[in-house]
């Protein structure tokens, strides 16, 4: 494709804004509980404010000039985005500091916990605790990220990726600037915190069940929202927010697809009860490899069945009896901690570090 090829922005998919009555109906669904009945007038006033924010598209209602380190210092950037970006920069410095205590991010990717409908903890949670014990015994900090909280904790959400990369990579900002979107009531996005926890980690270990041959919903949401860590644009002013023409022009001129999380060790534990674990495990490891993380070895890439084609009701008992798998989970965690130590001491060097990909996309 020629660099001089004209840039075209395709339009025509999105419907128009919803009308006032539809907005009212959707806004008031959260106040279905009769306990809100006595506050109808107050709710109606809030609804009008929310309608005006929606109609005017006030995605980021509080902004300030981005500052001298950006391409356009005067661009009015979201204060929330700038704050998250600052945290990620500080986290990266902490990660690089040799004096920092090694940190392993343990991700429990099950959607289930005993605080919501299932009423019982996940087997994945139990495995996460086995890994935590190993990490802490190695003198490292274990940061447990329990993705099941999106199903059981008030105001805890991971919103879906909007696919900005498909328009142009520089339109996908690091960190993601699609959220919070206050005009659409998408303010409770967990990813700003999750980005920081990934950046701080020297090692990452994902422990997950297999749902219908695939990742769980919370895990897949997090994976998609981490696309900005692989080639994302750290300068929101270069595209003046979400200007597709500007993003396309930047990529057309040449984009280096920076890997913001490269160099961290990783391990994966995937389990299931019927089918799909091998493909699921490979999907995860291929993704982590692509992002530039460092494979902690064969023992850190585990896929196992717990009670193959056996009942669900006593599956925890089955895990109790499978002491070999419990030890395999511990070994996966040990492999990650060993890789973290070797990377930080310089004994383990990423073999392809510094090589330039001819097709970086």
């Amino acid at each position: 494709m020629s660099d001089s090829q004209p840039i075209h922005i395709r339009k025509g998919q999105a419907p128009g804004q919803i009308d006032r009555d539809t907005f009212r109906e959707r806004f008031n669904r959260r106040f279905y509980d009769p306990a809100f009945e006595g506050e109808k007038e107050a709710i109606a006033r809030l609804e009008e404010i929310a309608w005006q924010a929606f109609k005017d598209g006030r995605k980021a209602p509080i902004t300030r000039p981005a500052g001298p380190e950006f391409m356009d210092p005067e661009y009015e950037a979201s204060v929330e985005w700038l704050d998250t970006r600052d945290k990620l920069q500080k986290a990266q410095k902490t990660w690089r500091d040799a004096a920092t205590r090694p940190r392993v991010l343990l991700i429990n990717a099950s959607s289930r916990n005993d605080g919501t409908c299932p009423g019982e903890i996940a087997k994945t949670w139990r495995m996460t605790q086995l890994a935590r014990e190993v990490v802490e015994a190695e003198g490292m900090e274990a940061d447990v990220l329990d993705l099941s909280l999106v199903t059981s904790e008030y105001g805890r959400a991971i919103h879906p990726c909007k696919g900005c990369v498909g328009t142009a990579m520089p339109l996908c900002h690091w960190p993601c600037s699609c959220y919070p979107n206050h005009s659409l009531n998408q303010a409770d996005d967990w990813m700003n915190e999750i980005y920081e926890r990934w950046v701080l980690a020297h090692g990452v270990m994902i422990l997950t069940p297999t749902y219908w041959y695939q990742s769980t919903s919370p895990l897949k949401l997090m994976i998609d929202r981490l696309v900005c860590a692989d080639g994302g644009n750290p300068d929101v002013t270069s595209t003046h927010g979400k200007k597709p023409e500007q993003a396309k022009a930047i990529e057309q001129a040449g984009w280096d697809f920076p890997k913001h999380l490269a160099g961290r060790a990783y391990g994966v534990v995937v389990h299931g009860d019927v089918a799909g674990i091998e493909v699921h495990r490979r999907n995860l490891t291929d993704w982590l490899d692509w992002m530039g993380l460092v494979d902690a070895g064969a023992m850190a890439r585990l896929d196992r069945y717990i009670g193959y084609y056996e009942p669900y009701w006593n599956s925890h008992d089955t895990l109790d009896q499978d002491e070999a798998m419990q030890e395999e989970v511990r070994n996966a965690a040990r492999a990650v901690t060993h890789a973290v130590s070797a990377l930080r001491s310089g004994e383990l060097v990423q073999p392809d570090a510094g090589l330039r990909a001819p097709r970086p996309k």
Side-chain angles (χ1 to χ4, degrees):
M1 183 178 293
S2 171
D3 289 344
S4 61
Q5 179 177 347
I7 290 173
H8 299 292
I9 308 300
R10 273 61 170 186
K11 299 285 189 178
Q13 178 181 353
Q17 282 192 340
I18 59 174
D19 60 30
R20 186 71 174 84
D21 290 339
T22 303
F23 181 90
R24 178 178 296 110
E25 177 189 351
R26 294 181 183 178
F27 180 86
N28 282 285
R29 283 175 190 165
R30 72 204 66 198
F31 305 111
Y32 175 79
D33 190 327
F36 290 106
E37 192 69 23
E39 299 297 335
K40 272 188 172 181
E41 292 182 2
I43 291 170
R45 291 193 295 271
L46 292 175
E47 179 199 324
E48 178 60 27
I49 295 170
W51 166 253
Q52 292 300 326
F54 167 74
K55 189 175 65 171
D56 297 341
R58 294 204 296 271
K59 173 185 174 181
I62 304 177
T63 63
R64 66 170 174 81
E69 68 268 35
F70 290 94
M71 182 180 294
D72 183 352
E74 299 305 315
Y75 175 74
E76 290 289 329
S78 164
V79 167
E80 290 172 304
W81 185 86
L82 290 169
D83 179 61
T84 301
R85 179 181 177 274
D86 288 346
K87 287 179 180 178
L88 297 193
Q89 289 187 325
K90 291 175 182 175
Q92 185 71 12
K93 289 179 181 177
T94 299
W95 176 78
R96 290 187 183 281
D97 188 347
T100 300
R101 183 185 177 194
R103 181 185 181 109
V104 178
L105 178 63
L106 301 173
I107 300 172
N108 169 54
S110 176
S111 300
R112 168 180 139 185
N113 65 50
D114 55 328
T116 187
C117 308
E120 184 177 41
I121 65 173
K123 293 181 288 296
T124 317
W125 176 252
R126 293 178 55 191
M127 291 181 239
T128 303
Q129 298 313 304
L130 295 176
R132 179 186 58 79
E133 291 168 4
V134 168
V135 170
E136 292 178 346
E138 293 287 338
M140 298 185 183
E141 181 178 354
D143 178 14
V144 177
L145 173 58
D146 183 3
L147 294 180
S148 76
L149 296 183
V150 300
T151 71
S152 66
E153 190 171 284
Y154 182 84
R156 183 69 77 192
I158 299 174
H159 294 289
C161 175
K162 296 180 180 179
C164 297
V165 171
T167 291
M169 189 74 238
L171 198 63
C172 180
H173 300 124
W174 170 251
C176 176
S177 65
C178 293
Y179 305 98
N181 186 326
H182 294 274
S183 70
L184 295 179
N185 191 37
Q186 296 168 339
D188 53 351
D189 185 56
W190 196 8
M191 283 305 299
N192 282 345
E193 176 190 324
I194 290 174
Y195 290 137
E196 185 179 11
R197 292 167 75 170
W198 271 80
V199 174
L200 284 167
H202 298 93
V204 177
M205 187 172 177
I206 298 175
L207 302 99
T208 182
T210 301
Y211 288 179
W212 285 115
Y213 295 83
Q214 305 289 341
S215 294
T216 65
S217 301
L219 176 57
K220 188 59 169 66
L221 285 166
M222 183 190 71
I223 288 171
D224 287 352
R225 292 290 303 284
L226 279 163
V227 66
C228 58
D230 188 74
N233 180 3
D235 188 348
V236 72
T237 77
S238 65
T239 58
H240 293 89
K242 293 288 185 176
K243 301 293 185 185
E245 300 90 345
Q246 296 177 16
K248 285 178 180 287
I250 292 171
E251 186 176 332
Q252 184 184 52
W255 186 251
D256 61 355
F257 294 85
K259 292 185 178 293
H260 299 288
L261 293 175
R264 289 151 177 84
Y266 80 81
V268 169
V269 172
V270 176
H271 68 93
D273 53 40
V274 174
I277 59 172
E278 296 90 349
V279 173
H280 186 191
R281 184 261 307 152
R282 180 179 171 183
N283 287 342
L284 291 174
T285 56
D286 283 359
W287 165 63
L288 291 161
D289 288 339
W290 183 280
M291 289 212 301
L293 275 76
V294 181
D295 171 6
M299 285 193 177
R301 303 189 307 273
L302 181 67
D303 53 71
R304 291 290 183 268
Y305 289 107
I306 300 174
Y308 183 64
Y309 270 98
E310 292 182 10
Y312 292 111
W313 72 268
N314 62 348
S315 59
H316 272 288
D317 300 325
T318 303
L319 177 58
D320 286 340
Q321 295 160 13
D322 196 343
E323 295 182 2
M325 182 181 176
Q326 294 177 39
E327 189 62 18
E328 286 176 317
V329 172
R330 294 188 186 96
N331 277 340
R334 292 181 185 114
V336 171
T337 61
H338 295 170
V340 166
S341 296
L343 282 167
R344 299 193 83 208
S345 67
E347 296 174 16
L348 174 61
V349 178
Q350 193 170 357
D352 57 358
L355 297 179
R356 182 174 177 81
R359 294 185 291 185
K361 178 180 176 182

